[in-house]
Amino acid sequence: MNTKSAFVAIVGKPNVGKSSLLNTLLGEKIAIVSSKPQTTRTRITGVLTEDVYQWVFLDTPGFHKPKTKLSGHMNKVVTTSVADVDLALFVVEPMGKMTEEELSLVEQFRSRRLPAILVVNKIDLITKEQLLSRIAELSALYPFRAVVPISVAEGEGISTLMDELRANTEEGPHFFPDDTLTDQPERAIAAEIIREKILRNMRDEIPHGTAVDIEKMREREEGGILDIEATIYCERDSHKGMVIGKGGAMLKKIASEARADLEAFLDVKVNLKCWVKVRDDWRNSEKAIRQVGLRYEE
């Protein structure tokens, strides 16, 4: 039987559930999730193989108005991802006015004649009548291949979305070995897991000014334990104190939660050590952005 494949970009505004959807489709957590917008900073690749089908998913940052050089790079990741794929999953909220950035994404679909599936997430928050009205409103924007209402939180509509994904693949080779989950290096995943715990435990204004650099990741010669040393960068001395917390309590909590996730993902016992350093205004420094591992393709 001939194999089929597709590169699929998961796009939308911040905090609509793109990373949660990717994790659900893969059945494994590779993208970090929090309730704060702009959680995803880079393009995360997840690979799903099912019999003859293989999908290479690109989870992108939320498309938003850039305020720093970093957020400008994040938007560029979205636009280049849309240019490189066979299909887009356009994830939207079930209510509210479409933003300028969302409408811009639709224009990119149109200019590239890109096949797209409209995915209305969080349908558990609205009535059936509201959903039908929302679908009618958004269907007028673009000739979507399909409109799929889902609730990632409730697991609703995922099987229907998978049916549409199968219908939108073309004959072609599998680009990754069938047991591949992601092309992300383990260091990158480790850094993101730590950053997720910062996002989940800290106040809104602090986490977006943090970055994580994995300085050491080495399995001991006797085996069975993976030593990871990470530096958390923040933009102000006051933020450093908050990340560390009274008596080191916050940093210990972040590291403990991250270690548990790392052990589950890597299937090995982890010895995690974290330090906190200040790097002023790093989000507006091209050099600093690259030094903390956020390298964006031109």
Side-chain angles (χ1 to χ4, degrees):
M1 188 178 293
N2 293 335
T3 58
K4 297 184 175 184
S5 59
F7 280 78
V8 184
I10 305 176
V11 299
K13 71 178 184 179
N15 211 29
V16 293
K18 299 183 297 297
S19 295
S20 295
L21 175 58
L22 174 63
N23 292 338
T24 298
L25 291 171
L26 297 179
E28 186 80 41
K29 181 178 178 179
I30 66 164
I32 70 172
V33 177
S34 88
S35 61
K36 297 178 175 66
Q38 299 171 39
T39 296
T40 302
R41 282 177 174 164
T42 60
R43 186 166 71 177
I44 305 296
T45 303
V47 182
L48 174 63
T49 304
E50 175 194 81
D51 299 325
V52 300
Y53 300 97
Q54 185 176 86
W55 298 274
V56 182
F57 294 105
L58 309 178
D59 178 29
T60 60
F63 205 51
H64 61 287
K65 291 183 179 179
K67 296 180 180 179
T68 63
K69 285 186 178 180
L70 174 62
S71 56
H73 281 303
M74 289 162 63
N75 276 356
K76 193 172 182 180
V77 169
V78 181
T79 56
T80 56
S81 295
V82 169
D84 293 341
V85 297
D86 305 307
L87 177 72
L89 296 184
F90 183 34
V91 186
V92 299
E93 297 271 16
M95 297 177 287
K97 186 178 178 180
M98 296 290 283
T99 67
E100 182 180 325
E101 289 73 31
E102 286 177 306
L103 295 174
S104 175
L105 278 173
V106 173
E107 287 305 311
Q108 290 183 54
F109 301 159
R110 184 171 288 110
S111 67
R112 295 182 169 91
R113 298 182 180 178
L114 178 66
I117 295 173
L118 178 67
V119 180
V120 184
N121 191 22
K122 307 178 185 179
I123 60 170
D124 52 302
L125 303 179
I126 59 172
T127 65
K128 183 177 180 180
E129 290 72 21
Q130 288 174 318
L131 175 59
L132 292 174
S133 175
R134 184 65 162 172
I135 289 174
E137 171 198 353
L138 300 182
S139 295
L141 293 175
Y142 188 71
F144 294 104
R145 288 283 180 91
V147 179
V148 184
I150 69 169
S151 168
V152 174
E154 301 294 330
E156 186 176 352
I158 302 301
S159 61
T160 301
L161 180 57
M162 286 300 305
D163 289 340
E164 292 298 339
L165 285 167
R166 293 184 195 99
N168 283 278
T169 55
E170 300 288 342
E171 286 193 8
H174 288 182
F175 293 93
F176 293 89
D178 288 357
D179 60 352
T180 301
L181 179 65
T182 179
D183 70 343
Q184 296 296 299
E186 291 181 345
R187 281 175 177 258
I189 292 175
E192 285 294 271
I193 287 174
I194 296 168
R195 192 167 67 86
E196 178 189 56
K197 304 314 173 187
I198 300 170
L199 284 164
R200 291 193 169 193
N201 284 287
M202 302 296 295
R203 291 163 47 193
D204 289 350
E205 66 271 21
I206 296 173
H208 293 303
T210 59
V212 179
D213 182 27
I214 303 298
E215 297 186 346
K216 175 184 175 181
M217 192 169 186
R218 185 178 304 149
E219 191 165 0
R220 295 182 188 178
E221 288 186 5
E222 61 268 26
I225 297 178
L226 181 66
D227 290 307
I228 300 177
E229 296 181 5
T231 298
I232 299 169
Y233 289 101
C234 51
E235 293 182 310
R236 302 176 186 173
D237 284 318
S238 59
H239 289 178
K240 176 181 177 180
M242 293 178 190
V243 173
I244 294 173
K246 186 175 181 180
M250 178 56 72
L251 185 59
K252 288 177 183 176
K253 189 172 190 294
I254 290 167
S256 177
E257 293 179 5
R259 183 173 60 253
D261 274 16
L262 285 164
E263 290 181 341
F265 183 81
L266 299 171
D267 195 26
V268 66
K269 186 172 178 59
V270 172
N271 174 42
L272 175 63
K273 294 181 179 179
C274 296
W275 290 267
V276 186
K277 296 181 180 179
V278 176
R279 180 168 288 180
D280 292 334
D281 199 28
W282 69 267
R283 286 180 291 177
N284 280 308
S285 165
E286 296 283 356
K287 180 180 179 181
I289 288 171
R290 283 166 172 77
Q291 281 181 338
V292 296
L294 298 173
R295 295 177 174 84
Y296 295 90
E297 299 173 2
E298 295 299 330

